[in-house]
Amino acid sequence: MPVLVSLVLRRLLGALPSIAAVVVVTFVLTRALPGDPAAYFAGPAADAQSVEEIRRKLGLDKPLPVQFLAYLGDLAQGEMGTSLITGQPVSADILARLPASVELTLCGLALALAVSLPLGVAAATRPGSWVDHMARVISTAGVSLPVFFTGLLLVYIFYYLLGWAPAPMGRLDLFASAPTTITGFYLVDSLITGQFATFRAAAAQLVLPALTLGLFALAPLTRMTRASMLGVLGSDFIRTARAGGLSRGTVLVTYALRNALLPVVTTLGMVFSFLLGANVLVEKVFAWPGIGSYAIEALVASDYAPVQGFILTMAIMYVGLNLMIDILYGLIDPRVRIEA
Amino acid sequence: MNAMLRGLCLATALATCAVPALAQSRDETLLVVVESGTNSLDIHAVGANPASYGVVWNIYDRLLSYGTKTMPDGSLSYDHTNIKPELAESWKFTADDEITFYLRKDAKFHDGTPITAKDVKWSFDRMVAVGGFPTFQMKAGSLEKPEQFIAVDDHTFRVKLLRKDKLTVPDLGVPVPIVLNSELIKKHATEKDPWGLEWSKLNDAGGGAYKVESWKPGEQLVLARYDDWKSGPLPKLKKVVIRDVPSAGNRRALVERGDVDLSFDLPPKDSQELAKGGKVKVTGTPIENSLWYTGMGVKQPPFDNVKVRQAVAYALPYQKIMDAVVYGRAIPMFGGPATPTKAVWPQPSPYNTDMAKARKLLAEAGFPNGFETVIHINQGVASLSEPMATLVQESLGQIGIKATINKVPGANWRAAMLKKDMPLFIDTFAGWLNYPDYYFFWGYHGQNAVFNVMSYQNPEMDKLIDASRFETDAKKYEDQVKGFVKMAWDDVPRAPLFQYYLDAAMGKNVQGYTYWFHRAIDFRSISKK
């Protein structure tokens, strides 16, 4: 265990410079963007004078180093500024929206895993068979159809034509009330507080967007499972295991899959962080109040504070995610633990 | 057994009463979808977006409002000629330079505090002090200084006039001059924020017909009826839910399937097809005092040459834009008589697509082989501006003008307008107050406001605009308006294209939807049956 603790600590320390760099780079980049927030927010009948007035109010008339110091001071107190587009503190916005994105992404990922692992294993055990071809077709289709297209298509079929899915208008339909916030995940919160009607409503809203995301994540996961399984299945220890008369299931799951999982977990981590970003389009299609659409809206309006807050949050999440994957490695493969 | 039976009876009773209650609440609830919702509950706050106009319109009262009228197609519109009382029971000119307002004695804010002239005075002082858009809008009605506003007693409020301005009274009926609960806000004011904007942008401090029940920015806003509202007949709708749905396709599906009651500000293609589909009611109203146009920077050669500008105006593909860009959901603003016949704005310009004439004018201007230029468009309204730019580009190519298209991101558009260095651009402008001189004051006057993107300066025209703004004689006013419209035709710094529609699609049971100049929904007049 101490090995694990020191690994975590070393990882965290190692992440500090990258986070500091993210803070500086986002600050400079957002300022370098063409576009003038003062002009944007001055409103429909502004003249040059009122634009200047807004600029002064936003503190944008001060030199950049002064603005940067003020930003650092706010950050130190845990404040990320106020978003002009929502009018709320950025930290509150992100806290409210991040769970929506994470919940959606996790559900999409779970769906993708549930399909891609068995599919990849099946394809690897019977290369060249119809299962293998099916796996190839599904993953090619999943990755080549843009998410906004699959999203709209699913809405069109399951909501507009068939009427099976609920209206694509966010995390809950209009008549359900949100559960008391504990984790921010509606599924979890509604279960904890025992609001089963809310749970059902939230789950129903999740199905289509999670499916859309899952389809997209299917391809890399299936391909990686298949390739990695193929490699493992061809190796000596599997032949030995088979020769030793172990059952097919034991060979496949205990010996082959466990060894093949390592690259899959790496891919999983990459897919997860990628999906968090790729969420934007799904969020737009399903009116999902997530963090991706928030960041895009802020970017379009040159609203600095939320963009900086978003990138910073994402950077911290990536660091955390990488850490988790390293730990997972250790659990799956003892060799990693010893080397660390 | 007995207990079980009783329980069963109770359950049945509950079930039977629960069902009609739910059905009833659906009848008294309006579900609205919009592309993006409000970012502020207070229009005076920095950066309050257009969606906030609709919020303050419903949760705050103003002294005055406007009546409604029925349009030729049977739809309802506000009536700019009929100014009626809201919080002020009545008002009159008590001197040549003074208007006195007599407030309702029974009106209360949402927290139960009576609304007094002190609140009005504080609110008016606030809007001329906070700067930015609210202050600017009030200046348009010559409401500029706190000294102008006097609370005579609890229910009498007086405005001293700086000058005789016909826009003063109409300007009191726009969304900006709201009456806020001054005592409530003062509790939350800080030294840095003496007017309590930070608090009021997140909280309801009003006395209007609706209260804010809950608000999740970027997600949904729920309004509940304020049952003690006195400034008008009690609204029929008990609840209004406004949900943000960014995807236009989904908004359309939602209203078509009847899951929502009203979808507001539709893209023209959707409104045309929804109207044809017949499942929902589509109400389109031409946006008053508004115009989409092709503008030319008159300070930049070759557009400093009036013949070049006229050539461009004759080369524009007017009808194609009507058919392929706005799908007929607009009023054509071309092919009119050579001299203005009426003192209205907008009105069709005398220009038409006439390539022969355009070529001839271009040759006379000294550019028989055309020239190269750049068309600037606002990407924030790309669904309209992009196809328009492509059509214009193609059409200008026919007379030898080689244009490239520069798509300016929405966030940068205003900065680009302020710079005034665009040779050729496509844009729109709409004025809240429906007077031709108001439009020209912003769009054509030599004061060179941001909306005079062309930097057009003509002292002759300025004289007419300035005179008409304060003209009291109807005949003289008409001549002045016709005079400056004619100059706008001859000099053509902007070539009018069309007057755009504001489209709303709603369930067939939704009644009383009314067009307003501020382009937001007034829920007070809406009912469902």
Side-chain angles (χ1 to χ4, degrees):
Chain A
M1 235 28 192
V3 184
L4 202 64
V5 172
S6 81
L7 173 90
V8 170
L9 278 180
R10 248 179 320 125
R11 278 301 182 142
L12 282 182
L13 274 180
L16 281 182
S18 13
I19 289 183
V22 165
V23 170
V24 178
V25 170
T26 50
F27 180 85
V28 175
L29 270 188
T30 43
R31 259 60 181 185
L33 285 177
D36 184 351
Y40 188 86
F41 288 105
D47 56 355
Q49 180 203 340
S50 48
V51 171
E52 278 318 305
E53 240 168 70
I54 303 276
R55 198 185 311 282
R56 206 160 25 80
K57 264 190 199 155
L58 299 177
L60 294 173
D61 55 336
K62 300 200 180 82
L64 273 187
V66 178
Q67 287 185 42
F68 184 62
L69 280 183
Y71 174 57
L72 279 190
D74 284 346
L75 263 190
Q77 295 166 24
E79 268 185 49
M80 298 203 254
T82 303
S83 158
L84 292 168
I85 45 169
T86 63
Q88 311 288 314
V90 172
S91 44
D93 270 344
I94 290 184
L95 271 183
R97 284 163 170 270
L98 190 61
S101 285
V102 174
E103 184 173 44
L104 172 60
T105 310
L106 283 179
C107 286
L109 213 57
L111 269 179
L113 266 184
V115 177
S116 63
L117 272 188
L119 199 62
V121 171
T125 46
R126 298 178 198 80
S129 71
W130 64 271
V131 182
D132 193 17
H133 287 304
M134 194 180 73
R136 194 169 299 134
V137 169
I138 290 181
S139 53
T140 313
V143 82
S144 52
L145 292 174
V147 279
F148 66 87
F149 175 76
T150 18
L152 283 176
L153 189 73
L154 289 177
V155 168
Y156 182 67
I157 296 174
F158 291 104
Y159 167 66
Y160 186 74
L161 291 182
L162 299 175
W164 295 352
M169 46 199 313
R171 299 178 79 182
L172 282 176
D173 65 63
L174 288 161
F175 290 103
S177 49
T180 340
T181 308
I182 300 167
T183 59
F185 298 140
Y186 279 5
L187 290 184
V188 179
D189 289 354
S190 58
L191 278 188
I192 294 178
T193 52
Q195 292 157 293
F196 296 107
T198 308
F199 178 80
R200 206 171 317 125
Q205 294 293 124
L206 256 172
V207 173
L208 287 193
L211 209 62
T212 313
L213 266 189
L215 267 178
F216 191 65
L218 211 58
L221 290 175
T222 313
R223 304 295 294 168
M224 193 44 85
T225 315
R226 179 182 177 275
S228 154
M229 270 304 267
L230 267 182
V232 173
L233 283 177
S235 57
D236 294 343
F237 71 93
I238 293 292
R239 202 179 46 202
T240 316
R242 280 200 182 126
L246 289 177
S247 78
R248 193 181 149 76
T250 318
V251 172
L252 266 188
V253 178
T254 319
Y255 289 84
L257 189 60
R258 187 161 180 198
N259 280 290
L261 267 186
L262 224 41
V264 177
V265 170
T266 318
T267 319
L268 194 69
M270 268 163 50
V271 169
F272 180 76
S273 42
F274 181 72
L275 281 190
L276 261 185
N279 252 338
V280 177
L281 293 169
V282 182
E283 285 173 11
K284 282 273 175 212
V285 169
F286 292 95
W288 204 260
I291 195 167
S293 52
Y294 174 68
I296 287 291
E297 271 159 35
L299 201 58
V300 168
S302 315
D303 192 358
Y304 296 152
V307 177
Q308 287 166 353
F310 169 77
I311 300 180
L312 197 60
T313 316
M314 283 312 219
I316 291 172
M317 281 192 56
Y318 280 7
V319 169
L321 198 69
N322 278 327
L323 190 68
M324 260 168 57
I325 286 172
D326 283 347
I327 296 171
L328 256 184
Y329 266 18
L331 295 181
I332 295 172
D333 189 343
R335 281 171 301 181
V336 178
R337 248 175 298 177
I338 293 159
E339 275 158 32
Chain B
M1 192 66 191
N2 212 348
M4 221 172 102
L5 206 68
R6 223 179 306 140
L8 201 69
C9 279
L10 195 69
T12 332
L14 271 178
T16 41
C17 78
V19 170
L22 198 72
Q24 200 185 4
S25 85
R26 184 76 169 82
D27 277 348
E28 290 173 330
T29 303
L30 190 78
L31 309 177
V32 184
V33 280
V34 294
E35 180 168 4
S36 68
T38 189
N39 63 350
S40 172
L41 301 180
D42 183 357
I43 193 171
H44 294 170
V46 175
N49 65 5
S52 72
Y53 309 164
V55 180
V56 297
W57 189 257
N58 287 289
I59 68 173
Y60 286 97
D61 276 350
R62 285 139 297 272
L63 292 177
L64 310 174
S65 187
Y66 293 89
T68 48
K69 62 179 177 193
T70 309
M71 302 291 281
D73 67 346
S75 65
L76 297 172
S77 164
Y78 92 102
D79 181 1
H80 78 275
T81 60
N82 173 15
I83 294 174
K84 61 168 209 170
E86 192 159 281
L87 191 61
E89 233 163 15
S90 65
W91 73 95
K92 61 175 183 233
F93 279 84
T94 36
D96 230 18
D97 63 343
E98 178 186 286
I99 315 176
T100 305
F101 297 87
Y102 304 96
L103 309 186
R104 282 174 209 283
K105 299 207 166 63
D106 51 356
K108 288 190 175 88
F109 287 112
H110 295 157
D111 66 353
T113 331
I115 305 178
T116 66
K118 258 191 282 164
D119 296 300
V120 183
K121 155 90 179 142
W122 188 83
S123 306
F124 275 48
D125 286 356
R126 186 188 203 231
M127 71 194 184
V128 299
V130 290
F133 167 61
T135 304
F136 217 70
Q137 177 64 39
M138 287 303 104
K139 216 167 163 183
S142 299
L143 299 159
E144 298 169 21
K145 299 186 184 121
E147 302 88 78
Q148 284 179 270
F149 315 127
I150 303 153
V152 181
D153 59 48
D154 269 4
H155 297 103
T156 316
F157 175 69
R158 194 163 284 161
V159 173
K160 288 269 181 196
L161 303 179
L162 295 175
R163 57 190 82 89
K164 231 178 161 43
D165 185 341
K166 66 166 179 278
L167 298 184
T168 301
V169 174
D171 210 21
L172 291 174
V174 303
V176 174
I178 48 178
V179 177
L180 302 114
N181 190 336
S182 62
E183 290 308 317
L184 180 64
I185 297 183
K186 274 184 204 159
K187 276 185 220 153
H188 300 276
T190 60
E191 207 172 303
K192 248 179 84 186
D193 177 25
W195 296 106
L197 293 161
E198 288 301 318
W199 186 80
S200 63
K201 85 178 182 196
L202 305 179
N203 295 280
D204 173 350
Y210 284 92
K211 304 185 276 193
V212 175
E213 187 178 288
S214 71
W215 179 39
K216 280 190 180 173
E219 212 178 323
Q220 99 175 357
L221 173 74
V222 181
L223 302 178
R225 186 174 74 188
Y226 175 46
D227 290 333
D228 270 341
W229 189 55
K230 298 287 189 248
S231 304
L234 197 64
K236 300 274 190 317
L237 296 170
K238 281 194 176 151
K239 206 172 194 180
V240 178
V241 181
I242 307 159
R243 185 68 79 97
D244 295 14
V245 174
S247 152
N250 282 351
R251 290 201 299 278
R252 182 174 157 178
L254 287 164
V255 68
E256 260 192 300
R257 282 190 54 90
D259 284 334
V260 304
D261 300 311
L262 206 158
S263 173
F264 192 58
D265 207 356
L266 308 167
K269 189 163 194 284
D270 279 354
S271 25
Q272 187 214 27
E273 290 178 3
L274 279 172
K276 248 194 231 159
K279 282 188 202 159
V280 293
K281 232 175 9 183
V282 176
T283 303
T285 322
I287 299 170
E288 276 179 355
N289 216 5
S290 81
L291 188 63
W292 271 91
Y293 64 91
T294 303
M296 289 161 266
V298 299
K299 292 270 149 70
Q300 294 171 63
F303 294 107
D304 53 346
N305 187 331
V306 65
K307 290 208 162 148
V308 171
R309 300 201 294 267
Q310 289 170 345
V312 168
Y314 277 117
L316 293 175
Y318 296 103
Q319 194 55 46
K320 270 192 207 158
I321 290 177
M322 285 298 297
D323 298 337
V325 180
V326 291
Y327 298 90
R329 308 287 305 171
I331 300 176
M333 282 297 147
F334 49 89
T339 36
T341 49
K342 276 190 269 176
V344 294
W345 186 260
Q347 55 176 310
S349 82
Y351 296 94
N352 229 328
T353 316
D354 185 341
M355 290 300 174
K357 221 173 199 173
R359 269 189 213 105
K360 191 168 153 262
L361 280 162
L362 206 56
E364 281 170 22
F367 297 95
N369 301 317
F371 52 86
E372 283 182 16
T373 188
V374 185
I375 307 174
H376 293 256
I377 55 166
N378 176 1
Q379 230 183 343
V381 286
S383 62
L384 288 178
S385 62
E386 254 188 67
M388 263 196 266
T390 316
L391 288 174
V392 170
Q393 180 189 36
E394 194 252 317
S395 205
L396 290 181
Q398 291 180 30
I399 59 166
I401 302 178
K402 285 173 276 306
T404 46
I405 298 174
N406 181 7
K407 300 175 191 168
V408 182
N412 304 357
W413 184 248
R414 189 161 297 269
M417 284 169 77
L418 279 165
K419 255 197 234 152
K420 304 200 180 227
D421 59 355
M422 299 188 277
L424 196 59
F425 58 94
I426 299 174
D427 198 20
T428 178
F429 174 68
W432 270 358
L433 302 172
N434 192 14
Y435 296 90
D437 43 306
Y438 184 72
Y439 190 102
F440 273 72
F441 180 72
W442 293 115
Y444 284 90
H445 194 282
Q447 61 161 338
N448 218 350
V450 57
F451 298 108
N452 181 355
V453 197
M454 314 81 67
S455 298
Y456 177 68
Q457 275 163 321
N458 177 352
E460 290 297 304
M461 186 194 262
D462 293 354
K463 237 186 264 168
L464 284 179
I465 298 173
D466 290 337
S468 65
R469 236 167 89 66
F470 303 106
E471 183 58 66
T472 44
D473 184 285
K475 177 77 186 80
K476 273 191 196 155
Y477 177 72
E478 203 179 312
D479 287 343
Q480 286 155 352
V481 171
K482 283 184 190 165
F484 60 64
V485 172
K486 174 89 170 92
M487 286 180 196
W489 291 165
D490 295 343
D491 273 353
V492 67
R494 48 172 70 166
L497 297 170
F498 56 83
Q499 184 183 7
Y500 195 42
Y501 273 34
L502 177 67
D503 282 321
M506 62 205 88
K508 290 195 166 147
N509 57 345
V510 178
Q511 310 286 326
Y513 165 80
T514 308
Y515 164 82
W516 281 89
F517 59 90
H518 47 65
R519 283 171 271 155
I521 312 171
D522 187 335
F523 298 115
R524 299 173 294 190
S525 64
I526 296 183
S527 63
K528 284 165 82 176
K529 63 160 199 203

